[in-house]
Amino acid sequence: MFLRCSFLLILLTTFSSITRAQDVWLQNHFSPNSGCALSNLETVTVLVNNNSGVIMPSNTIQVYYSVDGGTIINQPLSSNLTAGASWNFSFSVKADLSVCGAHTMKVWVSRAGDVNHLNDTLLWTVQNDCPIVPGTVTSDITVCQGANAGTLSLSGWSYGTITTWESSVNGGTTWTPIPSTTTPSYAYNNVAQNTQYHVVIDGGYCPDDTSGYATVSIQTPPVPGTLSGSDSLCENVANGTLTLSGNNQPPIQWEYSTNGGGTWTTVASASTTYNYSGLTATTIYRVLVDGAICADAYSDTAMIYVDPVYPPTVLTGSDSLCITNATGFVNATGTFGAVLNWEFSIDNGMTWTGLGNTTGSLGYTNLTQTTFYRMITEGGQCPDVISDTAIIYVQALPPNPTIGPSDTICASSVAGILNMTGATTPVLNWDTSTDGGNTWIPVANTTTSFDYTGQSLTTIYRAQLEGGFCPDYYSDTAIIKLDAAPVVGVLNQSGSICEGTSEDLHLVGSVADSLYWQFSTDNGVTWQTVPNSDTIDYNTFAIMQDVQFQVVALNGVCPPTVSNQAVITMLPAPIANAGADTAIYLGETITLNGSGGVTGIWMPGSTLSDSTITNPVATPSTTTAYGYYVIDTSGCIDGDTVVIKVLDPIQFNIRNVITMNNDNMNDTWNITGVEFFPMTAVKVFNQYGKLLYENEDYKNDWDGSFKGSRLPNGTYYYVVLKGGTEEEYKGTITLLGNE
């Protein structure tokens, strides 16, 4: 309670102090304000507030002001200021704001006992804008149309801010602002028509204004005109007149060049015509026309082509050639004009035919007869020039003679004569080659026949003849081929083989182009050829009787030779018998019965009691094919097969009763077929789920006992997992005793 009363006392004391606090403050200013052409008699007026609960006597409040931090003007209030009252207070001393630009106004109040000085001062800016003096753009100028540039300047301007430059192309009727132009100067470029320019000036608080304009006048470039009178002349008559027309300004001078315009020579003539004479070189003319304000300009050019008189051209390259290599060049030497054409003649210059070649040389290829050549060069305005003549003599290729006849003979009788036909030039010698034409051996024989005798190798023959302008040449060739007598070789010895088998025969020492095998089944009376048997090794067909074989060798034209004979005697094969196919049930056995030969063996033997006897006992678990293979005293073999089909056993069946009466029927729990599913697991439970019997590999031997004692009659439950499978069986089994 004491604390609460103390807090209330503090609040009342604080509130009383705030109510009696004294605060005089400046709420707002009314003048002076920004404007155009302010004077030196501007009234300063502010709003003074008494922000307290007491009356403030007039002589206790002082108000001050200064302009731009200058002289301080002080004036007290002229009457009391009641509590909470406001007063529009104006200073009697006027402010001088006549200077153009921004002025900083500061007004403040002062009173003893004022507790808050944060609201005693007002500070603001007054802008005095002076009236614009717009000036004018300098100065008018005339420029050449298209390629011009310069700078215009605003002069005589004061006050205000440049807003933009503007242009007019219709005498000032309409003006178009020029973007981004706020400086006192403007650079113009490529003005295409008469244009006026002025400047727009922003006056701020004073009215905007526009400067005086300047005009850029355009003079069109001069038309220099065209020259007429170009010509092509021969140097002995190079005279004529050139005329300038179409120009709109007077000529200043004529100029000419004899080096394609590289340098020019001035002719002191201001006429529109020019007479030339006695030119010895091609000359270009032009006229320089006065451009006035624009640059002086040249007319187009006129060219006087002056062609020299050329002497006849000298040709080199005359030759005598063979028709096989009548290829080469004829070249022109000396000074000549442009080549108009080359011409040829094959009738000793009587008639000429153009070749369409305009170069300084002529290539000819594979001429077949003597040919004359000449070159025609252009004389320009002078007569065309015909060169001297180059002659290419062409010798025809001698006809190629033939020799013969070629022949193939057996090496045992070599003799004959080769004869040449069609020779038109002398024989130089004969050549022979025994390596297929890789190398040749000359034989000193200049006749048109050649006698060959006793040669031991196949030989190629030819004759070499004189060629004249053409190279020496050869006749065609003749080949005398020698075939050696074939060597058939020796066939391996005779033998005996079992019936139905084949034999590998081999021929040794054979030298022949080709071979073929023959066989006889009638002791050599008749022979049959084995197809596609050109080989020294031969695997015979299956022998079913006695057969004789021989080989025939061939070599070119020589007679065939026949080898010795190989006799193959057939041994009869034994007859194997494995018995008839049969079927058994899985788990049963069967006795096999084989016969034939001297001895035999069964395969496979893994399910047989003995695979080496004729009647083994078979116990297959799946259908099996047993082969019985026998051999006789000659070593011949035969085989036969018997198939034992294995049938599925009686279906897997779980009996549901045990009588336990020792009558050998149902005395134990029987699962039919369990013997075929080893590892069959069984479990037997009573009605409460207690395990009474368990076996992981059941053999049909549980008699319904538990721990050596027979279980009571009743119903029990079993679970059977069929061995080797994932099949599970569940059911009930009934125990019946003494029944």
Side-chain angles (χ1 to χ4, degrees), residues 137-144 146-153 165 178 184-191 197 216 218:
V137 176
T138 59
S139 60
D140 293 344
I141 190 171
T142 300
V143 297
C144 189
N148 54 71
T151 301
L152 300 175
S153 298
W165 285 66
I178 302 173
S185 62
Y186 169 68
Y188 61 87
N189 185 41
N190 293 333
V191 179
Y197 294 91
V216 177
I218 301 302

Side-chain angles (χ1 to χ4, degrees), residues 229-241 275-282 304-309 379-383:
S230 294
D231 207 349
S232 297
L233 304 171
C234 188
E235 66 178 339
N236 54 6
V237 288
N239 308 312
T241 300
N275 297 320
Y276 60 87
S277 62
L279 299 184
T280 59
T282 296
I304 308 301
Y305 293 94
V306 177
D307 292 330
V309 178
Q381 298 304 312
C382 302

Side-chain angles (χ1 to χ4, degrees), residues 149 199 227 371 401 537 653 679 726:
V199 180
L227 287 178
T371 305
D537 294 303
N653 186 26
M679 303 308 293
E726 295 183 359

